[in-house]
């Protein structure tokens, strides 16, 4: 089966099953990993690091959800509670979500997808992993030692003058991790422009690559602004220069503008790569070319551009001018349209396809439904009149978790289950994986739907103790979080199990199209391809296919 | 135990406008999410992999444009609805009952026009628009009354305003919605809405100095009167009748004399010097609390 499909590319046929030498086993020393410039090994190192940070962030979420079982602040001190939710946010946003798909699957698969031997700057790629690790370890250590209790938003003047912790030292980790993000983005942009194999035109690129291109542009343009904001906080804290604190003649609203100018586009840094994964998964399991390829490709670019112009929707009640609110609200509503276009096109891809229901596809359905809720609840918050009551309540918390966990984490898990056989060469137990997908879906909704209701009932976010009327919904949410936690732990076990006991997956277990499946072994060769492939077909050449080798 | 709250109490004129939009969007989004998931699963089962049937690919520009343009129109429609509600709300009504609020870590201080003060609590009449002029003594706070569907950030060194009109009497929770540090979640209180007559009785129950009287006393005590005394404009500008008018400064710029200008002139007098005067005035930043400044502003307003 796999052999038959290689006819789409002018590359020699060879044995695609269980190659003796691959990128994982050709060198064994620790230094061959820590000093590697192979994008695949760096991707795997990111995968391991990111999983650890995800667990750290998740444990802290579990700890404060436990506190929220009762209205009184009885089990954690309020200082501890505040540090926990800050740590949860910082770790999840900067050390899990932002690098999640790009640094792991992006790193691993972009060169494979475009037919390159590596990214454009392999040493820079390794450097960005080290920067990420330094920032991550520093961040977790400093914050858990009591470094930051301001929320991840570090609003001035709380962060600059009033916080009783060393805000500057802690936020500098965000500054450092930003460089990792910028370097990865830069690397991808150059790689996609300059390293495509002969015949790999822009419109033959997998949509995964388009999504990463859009993401990288945001990373390179947006990340410096958060770095500047963090530096200005430092200047104000250390030298007392009045920038944000009105007591020194500064302007606290200015900080919010600078913060959201990065942090809103950062939302798209987090979600766009996930959308890229979903495009790949749906095309593969529908055995069909993605419907409206160009529309999905350009909607990523549209999101990247309009996404830079909507930051003020975080500030409707901050005291900004009502006319600014008017413009931001209009642009916010318009940025919803490209996401809707993607959803429609993904759905239409199934039409006249040959749909296979397998684990990655379950996660893709989960993504679609939950991301629709995330986007839909975003409409509530984008409309000014309705944002006035809902702003800074649990409705916002529910909304962005629907986008970030329901959307991005689902997409990440879809990618993990889709690409695992390629990365490791091993097949994982499908039944276990399908059960885990369903547990995660159910647990997720039990955790976050009650939070949407809580917000509408009026519970403000970041509350250590709360009004007794809100208790029943909080109990539901914490119960759901327990189920969700179990769901997240399961893949750790069966995926690690598969490394030892899993069957060889074969080079193309899903019958997918694209160079990464058809022209590479599983796990791939240290140099990806024996010779650079010449591409003669577009990437989703499923049309006319009827059977697959699942 | 199984009484899960789903519909919050609504008790203001603004709530009556917000709630229909909320329920419309809830139904619209729910239908969209269920429908798109159902269609996806239906297509997935209808076109389940079948031996002998080949995948066929379609492109359809008309369909693409339809599902681009219609969502855009719907999005703009929803935007318009929400914006109209907001602009009506942002438009401050005449004849408000004016209350000043100072937020500080972690309490609210409320002062009524007759000088009566409350802590973490606001007592107000039903059926009358109440305007809050708010400032913070330290970090950002946010005055949030869920039953009224209103909230507004409270910012140091700046005055933000909000208004609401209660439609029924009762007790409603008041929260700080902007994270403000360690005890953020204890910066809560209540709002009591009384019938007009009961409110008047409540208000008259205690007599203290009104803000204007307190401001007038401060004006003497702090020595403001030495330069700004009525009838003598030789050292400092005259203040009577100035509030709400435009003033020209030494650098040629102009500004309207409002609460924020007065506050700035007391705290950092050198920022804007009225044309024809020397920068003689010292700062009072370390001598006056936010309440004192509110009282001085009330007094200067009363001079018009």
């Amino acid at each position: 089966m796999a052999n038959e499909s290689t006819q789409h590319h002018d590359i020699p046929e060879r044995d695609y099953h269980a190659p003796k030498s691959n990128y994982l086993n050709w060198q064994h020393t620790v230094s061959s990993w820590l000093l590697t410039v192979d994008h695949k090994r760096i991707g795997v190192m990111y995968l391991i690091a990111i999983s650890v940070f995800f667990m750290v962030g998740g444990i802290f979420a579990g700890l404060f959800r436990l506190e929220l079982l009762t209205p009184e602040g009885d089990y954690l001190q309020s200082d501890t509670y505040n540090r926990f939710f800050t740590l949860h946010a910082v770790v999840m946003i900067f050390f899990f979500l932002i690098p999640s798909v790009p640094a792991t699957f992006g790193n691993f698969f972009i060169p494979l997808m475009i037919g390159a031997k590596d990214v454009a700057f392999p040493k820079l790629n390794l450097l960005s992993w080290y920067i990420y690790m330094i920032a991550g370890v520093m961040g977790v250590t400093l914050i858990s030692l009591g470094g930051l209790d301001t929320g991840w938003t570090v609003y001035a003047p709380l962060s600059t003058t009033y916080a009783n912790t060393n805000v500057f030292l802690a936020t500098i980790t965000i500054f450092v991790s930003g460089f990792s993000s910028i370097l990865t983005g830069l690397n991808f942009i150059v790689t996609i422009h300059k390293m495509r194999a002969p015949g790999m035109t822009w419109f033959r690129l997998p949509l995964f690559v388009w999504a990463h291109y859009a993401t990288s542009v945001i990373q390179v343009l947006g990340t410096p602004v958060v770095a500047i904001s963090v530096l200005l906080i430092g200047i104000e804290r250390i030298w007392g220069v009045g920038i944000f604190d009105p007591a020194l003649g500064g302007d606290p609203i200015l900080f919010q503008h600078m913060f959201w100018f990065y942090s809103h586009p950062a939302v798209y840094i987090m979600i766009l790569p996930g959308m890229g994964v979903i495009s790949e998964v749906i095309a593969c399991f529908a055995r069909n070319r993605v419907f409206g390829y160009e529309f999905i490709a350009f909607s990523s670019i549209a999101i990247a551009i309009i996404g830079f112009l909507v930051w003020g929707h975080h500030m409707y009640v901050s005291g900004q001018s009502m006319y600014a609110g008017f413009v931001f609200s209009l642009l916010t509503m318009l940025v919803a349209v490209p996401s809707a276009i993607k959803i429609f096109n993904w759905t239409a891809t199934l039409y006249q396809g040959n749909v296979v229901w397998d684990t990655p596809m379950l996660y893709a359905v989960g993504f679609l439904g939950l991301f629709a809720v995330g986007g839909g609840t975003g409409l509530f918050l984008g409309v000014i009149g309705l944002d006035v009551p809902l702003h800074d309540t649990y409705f916002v918390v529910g909304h962005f978790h629907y986008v970030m966990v329901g959307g991005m984490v689902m997409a990440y898990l879809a990618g993990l289950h889709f690409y695992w056989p390629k990365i490791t060469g091993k097949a994982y137990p499908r039944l276990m994986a399908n059960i885990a997908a369903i547990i995660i879906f159910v647990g997720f909704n039990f955790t976050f739907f009650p939070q949407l209701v809580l917000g509408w009932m009026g519970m403000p976010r970041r509350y250590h103790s709360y009004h007794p009327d809100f208790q029943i919904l909080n109990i539901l949410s914490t119960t759901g979080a327990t189920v969700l936690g179990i769901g997240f732990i399961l893949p750790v076990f069966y995926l690690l199990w598969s490394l030892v006991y899993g069957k060889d997956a074969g080079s193309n277990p899903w019958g997918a199209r694209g160079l990464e499946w058809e022209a590479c072994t599983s796990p791939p060769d240290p140099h990806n391809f024996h010779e650079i492939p010449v591409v003669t077909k577009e990437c989703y050449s499923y049309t006319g296919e009827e059977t697959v080798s699942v | 135990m199984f009484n899960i709250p789903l519909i919050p109490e609504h008790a203001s004129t603004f709530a009556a406008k917000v709630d229909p939009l909320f329920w419309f969007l809830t139904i619209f989004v729910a239908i969209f999410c269920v429908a798109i998931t159902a269609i996806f699963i239906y297509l997935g089962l209808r076109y389940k992999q079948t031996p002998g049937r080949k995948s066929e690919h379609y492109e359809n520009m008309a369909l693409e444009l339809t599902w681009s343009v219609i969502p855009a129109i719907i999005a703009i429609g929803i935007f318009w609805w929400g914006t109209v509600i907001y602009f009506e709300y942002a438009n401050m009504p005449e004849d408000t009952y004016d209350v000043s609020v100072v937020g500080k870590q972690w309490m609210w201080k409320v002062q009524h026009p007759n000088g009566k003060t409350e802590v973490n609590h606001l007592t107000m009449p039903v059926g009358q628009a109440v305007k809050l002029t708010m400032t913070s003594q330290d970090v950002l706070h946010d005055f949030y009354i869920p039953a009224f569907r209103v909230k507004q950030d409270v910012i140091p060194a700046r005055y933000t305003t909000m208004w609401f009109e209660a439609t029924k009497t009762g007790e409603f929770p008041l929260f700080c919605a902007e994270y403000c540090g360690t005890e953020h979640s204890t910066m809560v209180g209540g709002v009591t809405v009384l019938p007009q007559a009961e409110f008047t009785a409540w208000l008259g129950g205690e007599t203290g100095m009104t803000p204007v009287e307190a401001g007038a006393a401060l004006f003497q005590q702090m020595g403001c009167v030495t330069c700004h005394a009525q009838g003598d404009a030789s050292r400092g500008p005259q203040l009577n009748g100035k509030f709400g008018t435009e003033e020209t400064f030494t650098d040629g710029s102009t500004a309207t004399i409002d609460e924020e200008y007065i506050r700035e002139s007391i705290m950092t007098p050198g920022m804007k010097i009225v044309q024809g005067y020397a920068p003689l005035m010292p700062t009072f930043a370390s001598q006056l609390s936010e309440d004192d400044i509110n009282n001085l502003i009330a007094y200067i307003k009363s001079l018009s």
Side-chain angles (χ1 to χ4, degrees):
Chain A
M1 193 57 230
N3 289 353
E4 184 209 71
S5 58
T6 56
Q7 69 200 12
H8 297 299
H9 307 280
D10 298 338
I11 49 162
E13 290 187 11
R14 55 201 160 99
D15 176 20
Y16 282 121
H17 290 277
K20 285 201 179 63
S21 169
N22 59 51
Y23 82 99
L24 287 170
N25 65 11
W26 74 302
Q27 286 177 323
H28 289 284
T29 59
V30 173
S31 66
S32 77
W33 278 91
L34 292 179
L35 297 177
T36 184
V37 290
D38 179 354
H39 66 102
K40 299 183 291 302
R41 285 195 164 194
I42 294 170
V44 170
M45 295 199 312
Y46 265 118
L47 186 64
I48 295 165
I50 275 166
S51 306
V52 173
F53 283 119
F54 183 72
M55 261 187 282
V56 171
I59 287 167
F60 281 95
L63 290 175
F64 65 72
R65 277 278 14 132
L66 212 55
E67 164 65 62
L68 292 170
L69 275 174
T70 56
E72 303 81 28
D74 35 18
Y75 133 76
L76 295 175
Q77 301 281 314
S78 48
D79 261 332
T80 319
Y81 179 86
N82 297 340
R83 281 170 190 160
F84 279 9
F85 77 67
T86 304
L87 185 89
H88 168 70
V90 170
V91 169
M92 286 303 198
I93 291 167
F94 293 100
F95 305 117
F96 174 73
L97 285 166
I98 287 178
S100 61
V101 168
T104 55
F105 309 133
N107 241 326
F108 199 102
F109 285 99
I110 287 175
L112 296 181
M113 285 176 172
I114 67 173
K117 281 186 185 293
D118 208 318
V119 292
F121 307 113
K123 285 176 186 160
L124 215 52
N125 201 12
L126 183 64
L127 177 65
S128 70
W129 184 79
Y130 275 101
I131 294 173
Y132 163 79
M133 287 307 290
I134 290 167
V137 172
M138 240 170 82
V140 172
T141 316
L142 283 171
I143 300 173
S144 47
L145 292 177
L148 196 62
D149 67 343
T150 60
W152 81 283
T153 46
V154 284
Y155 272 12
L158 178 65
S159 62
T160 56
T161 312
Y162 291 89
N164 34 29
T165 55
N166 199 334
V167 173
F168 180 62
L169 214 59
T171 49
I172 204 79
T173 63
I174 296 172
F175 177 81
V176 175
S177 83
F179 281 96
S180 163
S181 183
I182 293 170
L183 292 182
T184 303
L186 191 70
N187 220 337
F188 286 173
I189 291 174
V190 178
T191 306
I192 295 166
H193 268 280
K194 305 300 285 183
M195 308 279 285
R196 282 172 288 128
M200 182 55 89
T201 60
W202 281 93
F203 288 98
R204 282 179 183 165
L205 285 174
L207 288 165
F208 181 89
V209 179
W210 273 99
H212 277 78
Y213 187 80
T215 307
S216 301
V217 170
I218 308 176
Q219 281 178 317
V220 171
L221 294 180
T223 317
V225 181
V226 79
I228 294 166
S229 324
V230 167
L231 275 190
L232 290 176
I233 286 185
I235 290 171
E236 180 160 313
R237 270 192 87 98
I238 296 170
W239 290 293
V241 179
I243 299 164
F244 304 126
D245 185 356
L248 304 168
D251 182 356
I253 311 289
L254 174 68
F255 178 79
Q256 298 179 29
H257 279 293
M258 295 190 66
F259 178 82
W260 289 114
F261 183 82
Y262 165 74
S263 295
H264 191 78
V267 172
Y268 300 110
I269 295 179
M270 299 176 219
I271 194 72
L272 277 171
M275 292 170 158
V277 170
I278 294 302
S279 295
E280 298 306 305
V281 169
I282 288 180
C284 170
F285 290 89
R287 312 286 168 215
N288 213 344
R289 183 176 202 250
V290 174
F291 196 94
Y293 173 100
E294 291 82 1
F295 281 84
I296 292 196
F298 283 118
S299 64
S300 293
I301 306 292
I303 287 173
I305 295 167
I306 308 174
F308 268 112
L309 305 173
V310 300
W311 78 89
H313 68 212
H314 297 267
M315 301 168 58
Y316 292 149
V317 297
S318 71
Q320 90 179 348
S321 141
M322 63 194 265
Y323 301 105
F326 176 90
V327 176
F328 282 124
S329 178
L330 180 61
L331 289 165
T332 301
M333 298 311 277
L334 291 179
V335 83
V337 176
S339 295
I341 292 174
K342 282 177 193 280
I343 288 181
F344 295 134
N345 279 299
W346 286 325
T347 307
T349 302
L350 304 194
Y351 179 68
Q352 294 287 1
N354 269 295
V355 182
V356 181
W357 289 93
D358 215 322
T359 313
M361 193 61 165
L362 287 187
Y363 281 110
V365 181
F367 168 92
L368 197 87
L370 301 180
F371 178 70
V373 178
T377 49
L379 297 179
F380 289 70
L381 299 166
V383 164
I384 315 185
L386 207 44
D387 182 66
V388 171
L390 296 176
H391 177 79
D392 266 336
T393 67
Y394 261 83
F395 192 89
V396 178
V397 179
H399 155 69
F400 68 71
H401 280 89
Y402 264 91
V403 177
M404 289 301 140
V405 185
M408 187 56 194
V409 176
M410 281 287 177
Y412 176 78
L413 290 170
L416 188 62
H417 288 85
F418 185 49
Y419 291 125
W420 186 260
K422 177 57 68 179
I423 294 172
T424 64
K426 299 291 184 184
Y428 51 83
R430 298 295 169 71
L431 182 65
M432 278 296 286
N434 293 346
I435 290 170
I438 290 163
I439 292 176
I440 290 172
F441 184 84
V442 172
F444 173 85
N445 281 299
F446 261 97
T447 310
F448 294 107
F449 194 80
Q451 297 189 3
L452 292 174
V453 182
L454 273 174
W456 173 231
M457 296 303 298
M459 179 166 167
R461 63 193 286 204
R462 295 167 171 176
Y463 262 36
H464 167 235
S465 56
Y466 56 85
H467 199 282
D469 286 358
F470 300 134
Q471 187 175 12
I472 182 74
L473 287 160
N474 272 296
I475 291 175
L476 277 177
S477 180
T478 301
T479 314
T482 314
V483 177
L484 185 61
I486 293 167
F488 281 144
I489 290 169
L490 286 176
V492 176
F493 286 110
Y494 64 75
L495 289 177
L496 290 179
W497 179 90
S498 80
L499 285 182
V500 186
Y501 303 103
K503 286 185 188 136
D504 279 343
S507 67
N508 191 0
W510 312 116
R513 295 292 167 268
L515 296 175
E516 72 276 25
W517 298 104
E518 297 175 89
C520 287
T521 54
S522 300
D525 186 84
H527 301 293
N528 299 351
F529 310 99
H530 286 301
E531 50 189 271
I532 292 298
V534 176
V535 182
T536 55
K537 291 217 168 189
E538 54 101 14
C539 54
Y540 305 113
S541 49
Y542 294 99
T543 311
E545 294 289 323
E546 54 180 76
T547 53
V548 285
S549 60
V550 175
Chain B
M1 183 69 189
F2 292 100
N3 179 23
I4 298 175
L6 291 173
I7 301 172
E9 191 159 14
H10 61 96
S12 76
T13 52
F14 185 55
K17 289 178 178 154
V18 167
D19 287 17
L21 175 57
F22 178 86
W23 291 114
F24 166 78
L25 267 180
T26 303
I27 293 164
F28 173 75
V29 170
I31 291 173
F32 175 80
C33 294
V34 171
I36 199 75
T37 313
I39 292 169
F40 192 90
I41 292 172
Y42 166 77
L43 287 175
L45 297 175
R46 167 71 183 74
Y47 296 103
K48 210 167 181 317
Q49 189 181 35
T50 332
R53 192 169 53 75
K54 292 179 191 276
S55 292
E56 280 183 64
H57 176 65
Y58 288 92
E59 291 287 331
N60 190 328
M61 188 52 93
L63 201 54
E64 294 285 355
L65 289 178
T66 309
W67 67 41
S68 304
V69 172
I70 290 179
I73 292 170
I74 294 173
I76 291 171
I78 297 169
F79 153 78
W80 193 249
W81 185 348
T83 304
V84 167
I85 292 176
Y86 177 72
F87 273 41
E88 280 175 29
Y89 163 68
N91 199 354
M92 187 68 66
E94 307 274 313
D95 297 331
T96 50
Y97 177 74
D98 296 355
V99 175
S100 72
V101 173
V102 176
K104 56 189 259 187
Q105 285 177 329
W106 292 276
M107 61 178 278
W108 295 106
K109 277 176 80 174
V110 174
Q111 187 172 36
H112 292 266
N114 75 341
K116 188 152 182 164
T117 59
E118 298 176 86
V119 171
N120 291 339
H121 195 271
L122 168 67
T123 307
M124 57 175 280
V126 70
Q128 151 102 54
V130 174
K131 175 186 173 186
L132 306 185
T133 303
M134 306 182 288
T135 190
S136 162
Q137 211 160 298
D138 36 50
V139 300
L140 302 176
H141 301 284
D142 186 295
F143 201 87
Y144 174 36
I145 308 165
F148 295 171
R149 308 285 186 271
V150 290
K151 69 163 66 71
Q152 174 63 52
D153 279 10
V154 178
I155 305 165
R158 209 183 264 207
Y159 295 91
T160 52
T161 56
M162 74 192 292
W163 73 277
F164 37 79
E165 183 180 331
T167 52
K168 60 175 162 189
T169 57
E171 280 287 334
F172 307 103
L174 158 70
F175 299 126
C176 173
E178 182 65 64
Y179 178 66
C180 59
T182 312
E183 297 298 334
H184 170 53
S185 61
T186 62
M187 195 165 163
V188 295
V191 176
T192 305
V193 181
L194 298 173
Q196 192 74 50
E198 274 181 49
F199 177 72
T200 314
W202 174 85
L203 201 57
E206 188 185 309
T207 48
M209 267 201 281
T210 67
V212 174
E213 289 162 6
L218 278 169
F219 199 77
Q220 297 290 334
Q221 191 188 326
M222 289 288 147
C224 313
V225 68
T226 49
C227 298
H228 296 289
Q230 288 191 34
D232 175 15
S234 58
R235 298 177 67 186
Q238 289 282 285
L239 302 181
N240 19 340
K242 279 289 166 59
F243 191 84
T245 62
E246 197 158 277
E247 190 72 90
T248 311
F249 306 109
T250 44
D251 63 355
S253 65
T254 59
T256 306
I257 307 303
D258 58 7
E259 287 95 343
E260 255 160 56
Y261 173 76
I262 297 172
R263 186 184 190 286
E264 182 189 82
S265 298
I266 297 170
M267 307 299 268
T268 48
M271 292 291 277
K272 297 193 183 88
I273 302 292
V274 173
Q275 223 164 31
Y277 290 93
L280 296 172
M281 182 169 157
T283 173
F284 287 82
S286 54
Q287 298 167 53
L288 297 171
S289 71
E290 289 296 340
D291 301 286
D292 294 338
I293 297 169
N294 277 341
N295 292 336
L296 277 170
I297 291 172
Y299 171 65
I300 291 168
K301 274 184 178 175
S302 76
L303 292 177
S304 44

